[in-house]
């Protein structure tokens, strides 16, 4: 039996789990629409992996005060704490690849920073899956950066503020981040943000993609909701919860 997590730790893991849950659904929406068969197969595999991660994270959360039916979808859209850039469906393959790359990497960096004993082994197993997800997504994104730089820039501009809010504001450094102070993580939000941006500086160096079009200073710490790790009242659509919880399938079964 491990010691209880702080409220900050529960909300942090909840946001990671919800982000992976919604990301898994976005994978399923696009897994038959890739430019080549390899993209479809990779998308189907990633969706399955993400659901596996969500189940393991929900199991951890249910051991620290969260009711499993609530975690699995018996809640309002406003109670989901996913990264804001996943709220709406994507309009293009380039947008999907860009947002998936950003959110996969952010979620992985947040998990990798957890040093609590409850994540011994689990973080490594998730990291093994994330390595292959990001290898494929990075390759696709680099190709699109050469072929369609304007579309990549537009997707970055729209998605980066929401992903950075998911990571946390720059004001949360090692001296002020409650997760570092409690020993739950070994990196502050500011440290994770630095590594995150450096990855994209390197990825797009020498291409026509200008990442400065995005607001890399977001979010404003005074406007940041630490529970939902975002700014504002946005949320997923209720129809998405129906899809996640199988409501339509149940209605079909009763017909």
């Amino acid at each position: 039996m491990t010691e209880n997590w702080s409220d900050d730790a529960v909300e942090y893991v909840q946001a990671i789990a919800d982000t992976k849950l919604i990301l898994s659904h976005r994978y399923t929406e696009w897994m038959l629409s890739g430019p080549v068969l390899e993209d479809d197969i990779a998308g189907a595999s990633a969706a399955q992996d993400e659901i596996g991660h969500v189940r393991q994270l929900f199991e951890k959360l249910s051991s620290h005060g969260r009711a499993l039916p609530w975690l699995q979808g018996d809640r309002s859209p406003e109670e989901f704490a996913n990264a804001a850039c996943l709220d709406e469906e994507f309009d293009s393959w380039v947008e999907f690849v860009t947002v998936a790359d950003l959110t996969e990497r952010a979620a992985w960096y947040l998990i990798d920073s957890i040093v609590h004993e409850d994540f011994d082994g689990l973080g490594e197993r998730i990291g093994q899956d994330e390595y292959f997800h990001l290898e494929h997504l990075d390759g696709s994104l680099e190709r699109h950066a050469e072929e369609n730089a304007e579309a990549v820039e537009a997707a970055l501009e729209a998605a980066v503020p929401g992903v950075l809010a998911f990571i946390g504001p720059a004001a949360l450094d090692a001296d002020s981040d409650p997760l570092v102070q409690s020993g739950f993580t070994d990196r502050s939000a500011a440290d994770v943000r630095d590594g995150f941006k450096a990855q994209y500086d390197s990825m797009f160096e020498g291409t026509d993609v200008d990442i400065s079009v995005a607001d890399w200073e977001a979010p404003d710490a005074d406007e940041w909701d630490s529970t939902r790790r975002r700014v504002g009242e946005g949320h997923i659509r209720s129809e998405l919860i129906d899809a996640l919880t199988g409501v339509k399938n149940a209605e079909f079964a009763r017909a």
Side-chain angles (χ1 to χ4, degrees), residues 21-218:
L21 177 64
I22 306 305
L23 178 60
S24 72
H25 185 77
R26 297 305 181 206
Y27 269 120
T28 65
E29 292 173 336
W30 284 89
M31 67 185 184
L32 297 178
S33 304
V36 296
L37 181 59
E38 180 188 19
D39 290 317
D40 295 343
I41 294 171
S45 178
Q48 189 173 28
D49 288 341
E50 293 298 332
I51 285 295
H53 301 166
V54 169
R55 286 174 176 163
Q56 293 175 83
L57 294 171
F58 278 3
E59 183 179 342
K60 299 292 185 189
L61 286 163
S62 68
S63 298
H64 291 275
R66 292 286 159 97
L68 194 55
W70 184 88
L71 289 167
Q72 293 172 334
D74 185 15
R75 46 181 159 147
S76 69
E78 294 83 357
E79 292 178 292
F80 281 79
N82 57 281
C85 56
L86 296 172
D87 282 352
E88 300 293 339
E89 296 179 16
F90 306 123
D91 294 326
S92 71
W93 177 257
V94 173
E95 182 183 11
F96 163 68
V97 169
T98 304
V99 175
D101 193 282
L102 290 166
T103 50
E104 282 263 15
R105 176 162 283 106
W108 164 234
Y109 283 8
L110 294 182
I111 290 173
D112 189 47
S113 72
I114 298 174
V115 291
H116 191 280
E117 61 181 317
D118 281 353
F119 282 78
D120 290 349
L122 176 58
E124 183 178 351
R125 290 198 298 277
I126 291 176
Q128 290 169 349
D129 292 335
E130 298 294 4
Y131 173 83
F132 292 107
H133 296 182
L134 288 169
E135 275 281 290
H136 183 76
L137 288 168
D138 286 352
S140 295
L141 192 51
E142 289 166 359
R143 185 173 66 253
H144 289 303
E146 295 182 359
E147 299 173 353
N148 200 348
E150 289 186 5
V152 173
E153 283 184 359
L156 288 170
E157 184 176 12
V160 163
V163 178
L164 291 176
F166 170 52
I167 294 173
L172 287 182
D173 59 20
D175 294 326
S176 61
D177 191 324
L179 293 160
V180 175
Q181 293 296 306
S182 67
F184 192 78
T185 65
D186 65 358
R187 272 154 281 172
S188 68
D191 291 335
V192 173
R193 290 168 60 101
D194 288 344
F196 184 76
K197 183 173 186 297
Q199 176 65 33
Y200 292 99
D201 281 333
S202 174
M203 179 184 294
F204 294 121
E205 185 177 9
T207 75
D208 291 333
V209 173
D210 177 8
I211 71 168
S212 70
V213 298
D215 179 5
W216 291 90
E217 302 300 319

